[in-house]
Amino acid sequence: MAAERIEHRACFGGWQDVYRHASDVLGCEMTVGVYLPPQAEHGPCPVLYWLSGLTCTEQNFITKAGAQRYAAEHGVIIVAPDTSPRGEAVADAEGYDLGKGAGFYVNATREPWSRHYRMYDYIVDELPAWVEANLPANGARAISGHSMGGHGALTVALKNPGRYRSVSAFSPIMAPSQVPWGQKAFTAYLGEDAVAWQQYDATALVADAAERLPLLVDQGGADEFLQTQLRPQLLQAACAAVGHPLTLRLQPGYDHSYYFIASFIGEHIAHHAHALKG
């Protein structure tokens, strides 16, 4: 896919760029943030894919998380795409938790969503193909995300053994089939058959995961969505039942915001850099 660079800003010795491109998978134009660390001028670097949460675009992460400092330190490219298809022809709904800004990183099978809402294929196939053909990327991949994006990171990693060297999440929707956000989105995008939802639910996927890729999850103890939408104890129980490695850290006092992400993003990038270069 051809891409046009629409933002280019010096940052910690590297460059924070934003690209716009036509997506064949999604049938619309998309934007994606790309941070190139200073090491990229001298050779290919590993890539960390970041998936953002409900209502977000690529701008939330690249302007609020403070990740560029740590990516420059470790020599990691960060690719942060938008969260859903956009444009006048793309289906939408009232409210923030369905439609534009709420793609949920699934391949929709129900109308009117199935024409454009194929974020799973976009993240797994189309976007990495462009990254590795056009950026100084060496083929080593990691994935992370927040909230809806944390759900996306976990499920994408669990469904694609060998593709990612590490995975982490901030406040992910850990059991979307069992909470209102996920149930609303899955009913619209996938239909009412709850069995079909399991293919995008981390708590179900760990049971049969072909690769025991360790999961790193940070959760704010003062998160307003902790017990209603996130429910980390469900993922903890699912991993314990099958012996899937999980590091679940409850961080007292932190909420669901980017203040939380900014406080621990350095630790996550260091975690991924270790795996990407190991």
Side-chain angles (χ1 to χ4, degrees):
M1 63 186 184
E4 174 192 7
R5 191 173 66 190
I6 58 176
E7 294 184 25
H8 184 57
R9 295 184 171 89
C11 187
F12 289 101
W15 296 97
Q16 179 60 63
D17 296 334
V18 176
Y19 289 87
R20 179 169 55 219
H21 68 90
S23 167
D24 292 335
V25 167
L26 302 175
C28 65
E29 284 196 336
M30 292 290 287
T31 52
V32 55
V34 174
Y35 179 69
L36 295 177
Q39 295 88 339
E41 292 188 4
H42 307 290
C45 296
V47 178
L48 171 62
Y49 290 87
W50 173 269
L51 307 184
S52 292
L54 287 166
T55 77
C56 291
T57 69
E58 81 288 340
Q59 292 293 325
N60 296 76
F61 180 74
I62 68 175
T63 61
K64 295 180 178 181
Q68 295 91 342
R69 170 186 174 184
Y70 305 104
E73 176 184 344
H74 293 286
V76 174
I77 297 169
I78 299 182
V79 175
D82 199 351
T83 55
S84 71
R86 307 279 180 174
E88 292 184 3
V90 174
D92 201 6
E94 293 185 3
Y96 70 92
D97 53 356
L98 186 67
K100 296 176 186 177
F104 265 85
Y105 305 101
V106 305
N107 286 339
T109 58
R110 299 290 298 273
E111 292 293 342
W113 312 102
S114 56
R115 179 181 174 190
H116 297 286
Y117 284 75
R118 303 187 61 82
M119 286 297 295
Y120 177 85
D121 281 352
Y122 175 71
I123 296 299
V124 172
D125 296 319
E126 187 178 39
L127 182 60
W130 175 79
V131 167
E132 292 169 18
N134 294 278
L135 299 178
N138 65 12
R141 311 178 195 95
I143 192 165
S144 185
H146 171 235
S147 194
M148 177 185 72
H151 139 75
L154 294 175
T155 57
V156 164
L158 288 167
K159 286 166 66 69
N160 292 276
R163 181 177 290 267
Y164 304 94
R165 297 193 183 180
S166 54
V167 58
S168 73
F170 289 83
S171 308
I173 305 173
M174 303 190 202
S177 296
Q178 302 180 59
V179 300
W181 276 341
Q183 291 167 342
K184 179 178 180 178
F186 286 180
T187 300
Y189 297 148
L190 306 173
E192 296 183 356
D193 181 6
V195 174
W197 302 355
Q198 303 303 301
Q199 64 182 309
Y200 298 112
D201 189 315
T203 60
L205 291 170
V206 293
D208 299 312
E211 177 187 32
R212 294 303 188 196
L213 188 66
L215 312 180
L216 170 62
V217 175
D218 268 322
Q219 171 63 61
D223 192 318
E224 60 269 40
F225 304 113
L226 180 58
Q227 297 304 329
T228 56
Q229 304 283 9
L230 308 178
R231 303 182 66 187
Q233 66 273 17
L234 297 178
L235 181 62
Q236 190 172 41
C239 287
V242 295
H244 195 108
L246 167 68
T247 300
L248 175 60
R249 308 191 305 188
L250 189 67
Q251 305 291 0
Y254 287 91
D255 61 14
H256 200 69
S257 72
Y258 266 84
Y259 296 110
F260 172 46
I261 297 170
S263 298
F264 298 98
I265 192 66
E267 295 180 22
H268 280 240
I269 291 177
H271 165 78
H272 291 295
H274 178 75
L276 287 165
K277 298 176 182 181

